[in-house]
Amino acid sequence: SQQGEEDPQALSIQEGENATMNCSYKTSINNLQWYRQNSGRGLVHLILIRSNEREKHSGRLRVTLDTSKKSSSLLITASRAADTASYFCATKNSGNTPLVFGKGTRLSVIA
Amino acid sequence: GAVVSQHPSRVICKSGTSVKIECRSLDFQATTMFWYRQFPKQSLMLMATSNEGSKATYEQGVEKDKFLINHASLTLSTLTVTSAHPEDSSFYICSARSRGGGSGTDTQYFGPGTRLTVL
């Protein structure tokens, strides 16, 4: 069942600007992950943040997690045209449960 | 990192035929594999969870007789779309989770997807 909700659904920015995408979820989680998907292609794992973490960085990516608000954000700094893709958050509850994906944000970076 | 492959990457079939999609974990043993479906411009929806050697668990609304899942070994799971119809056209993505944690206990490794088009 769908759990995450991302906003915005679509985002268009100029190259060099920062892009922020948000994700909200409904139940308790063990961790939250962000994925990227180019049109018609498979998923690329970007970053994982555990429920006891509040912020994580990886290159130009910055992820925050607020478990009290059940929300996460993904910030891409200094965006590039190659960052154009759909970005999904996915949550994992405890145990052997599968990842549940949000609806995604379609990011367009205009050169 | 762990690699998951899918075959075929793209398939076009006639309405009423059956199509089999294979998902393989190439460098690790996957006790659990997941099958997702993704319609255009939408998110991934979990269809079923399959554990090696046992019957798959299907999500609500997914017909188990239409989407046959077999997880016969620790490296292979198959999804067969039986009597396919145009509404079954979609992007099917498998995911595998390694036994014993592997290189990332909490990481599901995803295949590249299979695009099914039913005419």
mmCIF file of all heavy atoms in Angstrom, chain A residues 4-43:
data_model
loop_
_atom_site.group_PDB
_atom_site.id
_atom_site.type_symbol
_atom_site.label_atom_id
_atom_site.label_comp_id
_atom_site.label_asym_id
_atom_site.label_seq_id
_atom_site.Cartn_x
_atom_site.Cartn_y
_atom_site.Cartn_z
ATOM 1 N N GLY A 4 4.053 6.896 1.330
ATOM 2 C CA GLY A 4 4.639 8.221 1.269
ATOM 3 C C GLY A 4 3.919 9.140 0.306
ATOM 4 O O GLY A 4 3.347 8.725 -0.683
ATOM 5 N N GLU A 5 3.982 10.404 0.654
ATOM 6 C CA GLU A 5 3.460 11.431 -0.234
ATOM 7 C C GLU A 5 4.571 12.418 -0.451
ATOM 8 O O GLU A 5 5.131 12.962 0.503
ATOM 9 C CB GLU A 5 2.268 12.142 0.419
ATOM 10 C CG GLU A 5 1.049 11.276 0.634
ATOM 11 C CD GLU A 5 0.187 11.197 -0.607
ATOM 12 O OE1 GLU A 5 0.330 12.051 -1.500
ATOM 13 O OE2 GLU A 5 -0.634 10.264 -0.685
ATOM 14 N N GLU A 6 4.908 12.659 -1.710
ATOM 15 C CA GLU A 6 5.934 13.649 -1.978
ATOM 16 C C GLU A 6 5.313 14.941 -2.469
ATOM 17 O O GLU A 6 4.273 14.930 -3.149
ATOM 18 C CB GLU A 6 6.914 13.158 -3.054
ATOM 19 C CG GLU A 6 8.037 12.319 -2.491
ATOM 20 C CD GLU A 6 7.879 10.879 -2.873
ATOM 21 O OE1 GLU A 6 6.744 10.383 -2.837
ATOM 22 O OE2 GLU A 6 8.885 10.246 -3.219
ATOM 23 N N ASP A 7 5.974 16.019 -2.147
ATOM 24 C CA ASP A 7 5.597 17.264 -2.784
ATOM 25 C C ASP A 7 6.853 18.065 -3.049
ATOM 26 O O ASP A 7 7.830 17.945 -2.312
ATOM 27 C CB ASP A 7 4.598 18.057 -1.931
ATOM 28 C CG ASP A 7 5.244 18.769 -0.766
ATOM 29 O OD1 ASP A 7 5.691 19.932 -0.949
ATOM 30 O OD2 ASP A 7 5.328 18.171 0.306
ATOM 31 N N PRO A 8 6.922 18.846 -4.099
ATOM 32 C CA PRO A 8 5.838 18.922 -5.076
ATOM 33 C C PRO A 8 5.800 17.691 -5.976
ATOM 34 O O PRO A 8 6.728 16.903 -5.993
ATOM 35 C CB PRO A 8 6.220 20.167 -5.881
ATOM 36 C CG PRO A 8 7.713 20.183 -5.824
ATOM 37 C CD PRO A 8 8.086 19.659 -4.448
ATOM 38 N N GLN A 9 4.750 17.529 -6.729
ATOM 39 C CA GLN A 9 4.682 16.429 -7.679
ATOM 40 C C GLN A 9 5.623 16.673 -8.840
ATOM 41 O O GLN A 9 6.185 15.736 -9.403
ATOM 42 C CB GLN A 9 3.253 16.260 -8.205
ATOM 43 C CG GLN A 9 2.285 15.731 -7.164
ATOM 44 C CD GLN A 9 0.929 15.413 -7.741
ATOM 45 O OE1 GLN A 9 0.685 15.646 -8.922
ATOM 46 N NE2 GLN A 9 0.046 14.880 -6.928
ATOM 47 N N ALA A 10 5.796 17.938 -9.185
ATOM 48 C CA ALA A 10 6.705 18.290 -10.269
ATOM 49 C C ALA A 10 7.414 19.582 -9.899
ATOM 50 O O ALA A 10 6.836 20.458 -9.255
ATOM 51 C CB ALA A 10 5.947 18.449 -11.582
ATOM 52 N N LEU A 11 8.671 19.666 -10.286
ATOM 53 C CA LEU A 11 9.487 20.826 -9.943
ATOM 54 C C LEU A 11 10.391 21.134 -11.126
ATOM 55 O O LEU A 11 11.078 20.242 -11.638
ATOM 56 C CB LEU A 11 10.325 20.513 -8.703
ATOM 57 C CG LEU A 11 11.293 21.567 -8.201
ATOM 58 C CD1 LEU A 11 10.534 22.823 -7.789
ATOM 59 C CD2 LEU A 11 12.104 21.027 -7.027
ATOM 60 N N SER A 12 10.395 22.400 -11.539
ATOM 61 C CA SER A 12 11.231 22.811 -12.652
ATOM 62 C C SER A 12 12.116 23.962 -12.189
ATOM 63 O O SER A 12 11.614 24.966 -11.673
ATOM 64 C CB SER A 12 10.363 23.257 -13.838
ATOM 65 O OG SER A 12 11.162 23.594 -14.940
ATOM 66 N N ILE A 13 13.425 23.800 -12.326
ATOM 67 C CA ILE A 13 14.363 24.819 -11.852
ATOM 68 C C ILE A 13 15.451 25.049 -12.893
ATOM 69 O O ILE A 13 15.630 24.255 -13.823
ATOM 70 C CB ILE A 13 15.012 24.424 -10.523
ATOM 71 C CG1 ILE A 13 15.770 23.093 -10.676
ATOM 72 C CG2 ILE A 13 13.978 24.333 -9.408
ATOM 73 C CD1 ILE A 13 16.574 22.710 -9.446
ATOM 74 N N GLN A 14 16.190 26.123 -12.710
ATOM 75 C CA GLN A 14 17.317 26.421 -13.579
ATOM 76 C C GLN A 14 18.567 25.728 -13.055
ATOM 77 O O GLN A 14 18.717 25.517 -11.834
ATOM 78 C CB GLN A 14 17.567 27.930 -13.619
ATOM 79 C CG GLN A 14 16.436 28.740 -14.235
ATOM 80 C CD GLN A 14 16.339 28.539 -15.734
ATOM 81 O OE1 GLN A 14 17.337 28.393 -16.420
ATOM 82 N NE2 GLN A 14 15.116 28.534 -16.239
ATOM 83 N N GLU A 15 19.422 25.385 -13.963
ATOM 84 C CA GLU A 15 20.701 24.777 -13.581
ATOM 85 C C GLU A 15 21.425 25.691 -12.597
ATOM 86 O O GLU A 15 21.448 26.911 -12.770
ATOM 87 C CB GLU A 15 21.551 24.557 -14.824
ATOM 88 C CG GLU A 15 22.605 23.481 -14.672
ATOM 89 C CD GLU A 15 23.200 23.083 -16.006
ATOM 90 O OE1 GLU A 15 23.308 23.953 -16.895
ATOM 91 O OE2 GLU A 15 23.555 21.899 -16.161
ATOM 92 N N GLY A 16 21.988 25.087 -11.576
ATOM 93 C CA GLY A 16 22.700 25.863 -10.567
ATOM 94 C C GLY A 16 21.862 26.156 -9.335
ATOM 95 O O GLY A 16 22.409 26.420 -8.254
ATOM 96 N N GLU A 17 20.561 26.118 -9.478
ATOM 97 C CA GLU A 17 19.684 26.347 -8.322
ATOM 98 C C GLU A 17 19.606 25.082 -7.470
ATOM 99 O O GLU A 17 19.983 23.996 -7.899
ATOM 100 C CB GLU A 17 18.275 26.741 -8.794
ATOM 101 C CG GLU A 17 18.217 28.075 -9.503
ATOM 102 C CD GLU A 17 16.804 28.433 -9.935
ATOM 103 O OE1 GLU A 17 15.981 27.512 -10.071
ATOM 104 O OE2 GLU A 17 16.537 29.623 -10.148
ATOM 105 N N ASN A 18 19.096 25.267 -6.264
ATOM 106 C CA ASN A 18 18.887 24.125 -5.379
ATOM 107 C C ASN A 18 17.468 23.591 -5.567
ATOM 108 O O ASN A 18 16.536 24.344 -5.837
ATOM 109 C CB ASN A 18 19.074 24.532 -3.920
ATOM 110 C CG ASN A 18 20.500 24.959 -3.621
ATOM 111 O OD1 ASN A 18 21.428 24.646 -4.371
ATOM 112 N ND2 ASN A 18 20.678 25.689 -2.541
ATOM 113 N N ALA A 19 17.330 22.290 -5.402
ATOM 114 C CA ALA A 19 16.017 21.652 -5.506
ATOM 115 C C ALA A 19 15.688 20.980 -4.191
ATOM 116 O O ALA A 19 16.513 20.228 -3.651
ATOM 117 C CB ALA A 19 16.010 20.615 -6.629
ATOM 118 N N THR A 20 14.511 21.249 -3.677
ATOM 119 C CA THR A 20 14.071 20.627 -2.430
ATOM 120 C C THR A 20 12.794 19.857 -2.665
ATOM 121 O O THR A 20 11.832 20.379 -3.223
ATOM 122 C CB THR A 20 13.824 21.684 -1.334
ATOM 123 O OG1 THR A 20 15.040 22.395 -1.082
ATOM 124 C CG2 THR A 20 13.381 21.001 -0.048
ATOM 125 N N MET A 21 12.821 18.595 -2.251
ATOM 126 C CA MET A 21 11.650 17.737 -2.363
ATOM 127 C C MET A 21 11.309 17.217 -0.980
ATOM 128 O O MET A 21 12.208 16.908 -0.204
ATOM 129 C CB MET A 21 11.960 16.563 -3.301
ATOM 130 C CG MET A 21 12.078 16.993 -4.744
ATOM 131 S SD MET A 21 12.984 15.820 -5.750
ATOM 132 C CE MET A 21 14.643 16.428 -5.568
ATOM 133 N N ASN A 22 10.030 17.120 -0.711
ATOM 134 C CA ASN A 22 9.584 16.694 0.604
ATOM 135 C C ASN A 22 8.802 15.395 0.524
ATOM 136 O O ASN A 22 8.192 15.079 -0.489
ATOM 137 C CB ASN A 22 8.687 17.777 1.220
ATOM 138 C CG ASN A 22 9.410 19.099 1.336
ATOM 139 O OD1 ASN A 22 10.394 19.221 2.047
ATOM 140 N ND2 ASN A 22 8.930 20.103 0.607
ATOM 141 N N CYS A 23 8.828 14.678 1.604
ATOM 142 C CA CYS A 23 8.159 13.378 1.675
ATOM 143 C C CYS A 23 7.508 13.261 3.046
ATOM 144 O O CYS A 23 8.156 13.541 4.063
ATOM 145 C CB CYS A 23 9.186 12.269 1.470
ATOM 146 S SG CYS A 23 8.618 10.614 1.878
ATOM 147 N N SER A 24 6.262 12.859 3.066
ATOM 148 C CA SER A 24 5.598 12.604 4.343
ATOM 149 C C SER A 24 5.110 11.164 4.360
ATOM 150 O O SER A 24 4.814 10.588 3.305
ATOM 151 C CB SER A 24 4.422 13.561 4.548
ATOM 152 O OG SER A 24 3.450 13.390 3.530
ATOM 153 N N TYR A 25 5.081 10.595 5.532
ATOM 154 C CA TYR A 25 4.648 9.209 5.659
ATOM 155 C C TYR A 25 3.721 9.078 6.858
ATOM 156 O O TYR A 25 3.550 10.033 7.629
ATOM 157 C CB TYR A 25 5.866 8.280 5.782
ATOM 158 C CG TYR A 25 6.797 8.621 6.917
ATOM 159 C CD1 TYR A 25 6.654 8.052 8.176
ATOM 160 C CD2 TYR A 25 7.844 9.525 6.728
ATOM 161 C CE1 TYR A 25 7.512 8.367 9.211
ATOM 162 C CE2 TYR A 25 8.706 9.848 7.759
ATOM 163 C CZ TYR A 25 8.538 9.269 9.004
ATOM 164 O OH TYR A 25 9.390 9.586 10.029
ATOM 165 N N LYS A 26 3.131 7.898 6.991
ATOM 166 C CA LYS A 26 2.041 7.795 7.956
ATOM 167 C C LYS A 26 2.354 6.969 9.200
ATOM 168 O O LYS A 26 1.800 7.223 10.259
ATOM 169 C CB LYS A 26 0.801 7.205 7.267
ATOM 170 C CG LYS A 26 0.265 8.083 6.152
ATOM 171 C CD LYS A 26 -0.895 7.417 5.435
ATOM 172 C CE LYS A 26 -1.371 8.290 4.273
ATOM 173 N NZ LYS A 26 -2.431 7.617 3.472
ATOM 174 N N THR A 27 3.211 5.970 9.058
ATOM 175 C CA THR A 27 3.434 5.084 10.203
ATOM 176 C C THR A 27 4.885 5.159 10.677
ATOM 177 O O THR A 27 5.724 5.780 10.034
ATOM 178 C CB THR A 27 3.094 3.634 9.837
ATOM 179 O OG1 THR A 27 3.984 3.206 8.804
ATOM 180 C CG2 THR A 27 1.661 3.511 9.351
ATOM 181 N N SER A 28 5.167 4.514 11.768
ATOM 182 C CA SER A 28 6.541 4.472 12.280
ATOM 183 C C SER A 28 7.443 3.752 11.295
ATOM 184 O O SER A 28 7.023 2.805 10.635
ATOM 185 C CB SER A 28 6.567 3.748 13.627
ATOM 186 O OG SER A 28 5.816 4.454 14.577
ATOM 187 N N ILE A 29 8.670 4.192 11.228
ATOM 188 C CA ILE A 29 9.593 3.600 10.268
ATOM 189 C C ILE A 29 10.895 3.194 10.929
ATOM 190 O O ILE A 29 11.253 3.702 12.000
ATOM 191 C CB ILE A 29 9.901 4.570 9.106
ATOM 192 C CG1 ILE A 29 10.572 5.847 9.647
ATOM 193 C CG2 ILE A 29 8.645 4.886 8.312
ATOM 194 C CD1 ILE A 29 11.121 6.761 8.553
ATOM 195 N N ASN A 30 11.591 2.287 10.278
ATOM 196 C CA ASN A 30 12.939 1.917 10.680
ATOM 197 C C ASN A 30 13.938 2.806 9.960
ATOM 198 O O ASN A 30 14.923 3.249 10.539
ATOM 199 C CB ASN A 30 13.185 0.451 10.339
ATOM 200 C CG ASN A 30 14.605 0.013 10.647
ATOM 201 O OD1 ASN A 30 15.526 0.281 9.859
ATOM 202 N ND2 ASN A 30 14.808 -0.650 11.769
ATOM 203 N N ASN A 31 13.683 3.040 8.673
ATOM 204 C CA ASN A 31 14.529 3.952 7.917
ATOM 205 C C ASN A 31 13.745 4.503 6.727
ATOM 206 O O ASN A 31 12.668 4.002 6.383
ATOM 207 C CB ASN A 31 15.827 3.289 7.447
ATOM 208 C CG ASN A 31 15.594 2.158 6.458
ATOM 209 O OD1 ASN A 31 15.165 2.388 5.326
ATOM 210 N ND2 ASN A 31 15.866 0.926 6.878
ATOM 211 N N LEU A 32 14.299 5.514 6.133
ATOM 212 C CA LEU A 32 13.699 6.132 4.950
ATOM 213 C C LEU A 32 14.793 6.259 3.906
ATOM 214 O O LEU A 32 15.930 6.627 4.236
ATOM 215 C CB LEU A 32 13.107 7.499 5.295
ATOM 216 C CG LEU A 32 12.355 8.233 4.186
ATOM 217 C CD1 LEU A 32 11.183 9.018 4.771
ATOM 218 C CD2 LEU A 32 13.260 9.145 3.386
ATOM 219 N N GLN A 33 14.450 5.955 2.682
ATOM 220 C CA GLN A 33 15.443 5.972 1.614
ATOM 221 C C GLN A 33 14.942 6.834 0.463
ATOM 222 O O GLN A 33 13.738 6.961 0.242
ATOM 223 C CB GLN A 33 15.714 4.542 1.133
ATOM 224 C CG GLN A 33 16.148 3.617 2.270
ATOM 225 C CD GLN A 33 16.387 2.199 1.834
ATOM 226 O OE1 GLN A 33 16.858 1.948 0.732
ATOM 227 N NE2 GLN A 33 16.078 1.249 2.713
ATOM 228 N N TRP A 34 15.882 7.408 -0.240
ATOM 229 C CA TRP A 34 15.553 8.177 -1.441
ATOM 230 C C TRP A 34 16.158 7.486 -2.654
ATOM 231 O O TRP A 34 17.297 7.016 -2.620
ATOM 232 C CB TRP A 34 16.093 9.603 -1.328
ATOM 233 C CG TRP A 34 15.280 10.474 -0.415
ATOM 234 C CD1 TRP A 34 15.458 10.662 0.916
ATOM 235 C CD2 TRP A 34 14.160 11.289 -0.793
ATOM 236 N NE1 TRP A 34 14.514 11.529 1.398
ATOM 237 C CE2 TRP A 34 13.706 11.937 0.383
ATOM 238 C CE3 TRP A 34 13.494 11.545 -1.993
ATOM 239 C CZ2 TRP A 34 12.617 12.816 0.386
ATOM 240 C CZ3 TRP A 34 12.413 12.416 -1.994
ATOM 241 C CH2 TRP A 34 11.988 13.042 -0.815
ATOM 242 N N TYR A 35 15.355 7.450 -3.704
ATOM 243 C CA TYR A 35 15.776 6.836 -4.954
ATOM 244 C C TYR A 35 15.560 7.827 -6.092
ATOM 245 O O TYR A 35 14.704 8.713 -6.020
ATOM 246 C CB TYR A 35 14.966 5.572 -5.267
ATOM 247 C CG TYR A 35 15.298 4.394 -4.409
ATOM 248 C CD1 TYR A 35 14.762 4.258 -3.135
ATOM 249 C CD2 TYR A 35 16.152 3.403 -4.873
ATOM 250 C CE1 TYR A 35 15.061 3.168 -2.337
ATOM 251 C CE2 TYR A 35 16.460 2.294 -4.089
ATOM 252 C CZ TYR A 35 15.906 2.187 -2.833
ATOM 253 O OH TYR A 35 16.210 1.100 -2.053
ATOM 254 N N ARG A 36 16.303 7.594 -7.142
ATOM 255 C CA ARG A 36 16.167 8.383 -8.340
ATOM 256 C C ARG A 36 15.850 7.437 -9.494
ATOM 257 O O ARG A 36 16.319 6.302 -9.536
ATOM 258 C CB ARG A 36 17.499 9.104 -8.584
ATOM 259 C CG ARG A 36 17.693 9.645 -9.962
ATOM 260 C CD ARG A 36 19.141 10.023 -10.165
ATOM 261 N NE ARG A 36 19.411 10.197 -11.562
ATOM 262 C CZ ARG A 36 20.067 11.223 -12.061
ATOM 263 N NH1 ARG A 36 20.539 12.154 -11.267
ATOM 264 N NH2 ARG A 36 20.274 11.300 -13.356
ATOM 265 N N GLN A 37 15.042 7.930 -10.420
ATOM 266 C CA GLN A 37 14.693 7.115 -11.575
ATOM 267 C C GLN A 37 14.654 8.004 -12.810
ATOM 268 O O GLN A 37 13.841 8.925 -12.886
ATOM 269 C CB GLN A 37 13.348 6.427 -11.382
ATOM 270 C CG GLN A 37 12.973 5.484 -12.519
ATOM 271 C CD GLN A 37 11.610 4.858 -12.328
ATOM 272 O OE1 GLN A 37 10.685 5.499 -11.858
ATOM 273 N NE2 GLN A 37 11.465 3.582 -12.702
ATOM 274 N N ASN A 38 15.523 7.700 -13.745
ATOM 275 C CA ASN A 38 15.450 8.386 -15.031
ATOM 276 C C ASN A 38 14.288 7.774 -15.822
ATOM 277 O O ASN A 38 13.939 6.619 -15.623
ATOM 278 C CB ASN A 38 16.762 8.245 -15.785
ATOM 279 C CG ASN A 38 17.827 9.143 -15.203
ATOM 280 O OD1 ASN A 38 18.163 9.020 -14.033
ATOM 281 N ND2 ASN A 38 18.341 10.043 -15.993
ATOM 282 N N SER A 39 13.757 8.540 -16.722
ATOM 283 C CA SER A 39 12.564 8.136 -17.465
ATOM 284 C C SER A 39 12.732 6.762 -18.103
ATOM 285 O O SER A 39 13.659 6.537 -18.872
ATOM 286 C CB SER A 39 12.258 9.182 -18.533
ATOM 287 O OG SER A 39 11.089 8.819 -19.253
ATOM 288 N N GLY A 40 11.836 5.845 -17.747
ATOM 289 C CA GLY A 40 11.854 4.524 -18.345
ATOM 290 C C GLY A 40 12.965 3.621 -17.895
ATOM 291 O O GLY A 40 13.172 2.555 -18.470
ATOM 292 N N ARG A 41 13.686 4.031 -16.849
ATOM 293 C CA ARG A 41 14.820 3.233 -16.393
ATOM 294 C C ARG A 41 14.573 2.705 -14.979
ATOM 295 O O ARG A 41 13.541 2.950 -14.369
ATOM 296 C CB ARG A 41 16.086 4.103 -16.401
ATOM 297 C CG ARG A 41 16.385 4.780 -17.710
ATOM 298 C CD ARG A 41 16.751 3.792 -18.804
ATOM 299 N NE ARG A 41 18.014 3.156 -18.547
ATOM 300 C CZ ARG A 41 19.189 3.661 -18.885
ATOM 301 N NH1 ARG A 41 19.272 4.824 -19.484
ATOM 302 N NH2 ARG A 41 20.305 2.992 -18.621
ATOM 303 N N GLY A 42 15.555 1.972 -14.484
ATOM 304 C CA GLY A 42 15.454 1.420 -13.142
ATOM 305 C C GLY A 42 15.765 2.434 -12.071
ATOM 306 O O GLY A 42 16.026 3.606 -12.336
ATOM 307 N N LEU A 43 15.720 1.970 -10.844
ATOM 308 C CA LEU A 43 15.942 2.841 -9.687
ATOM 309 C C LEU A 43 17.419 2.914 -9.322
ATOM 310 O O LEU A 43 18.133 1.926 -9.414
ATOM 311 C CB LEU A 43 15.171 2.309 -8.489
ATOM 312 C CG LEU A 43 13.654 2.317 -8.597
ATOM 313 C CD1 LEU A 43 13.067 1.559 -7.430
ATOM 314 C CD2 LEU A 43 13.133 3.736 -8.622
#
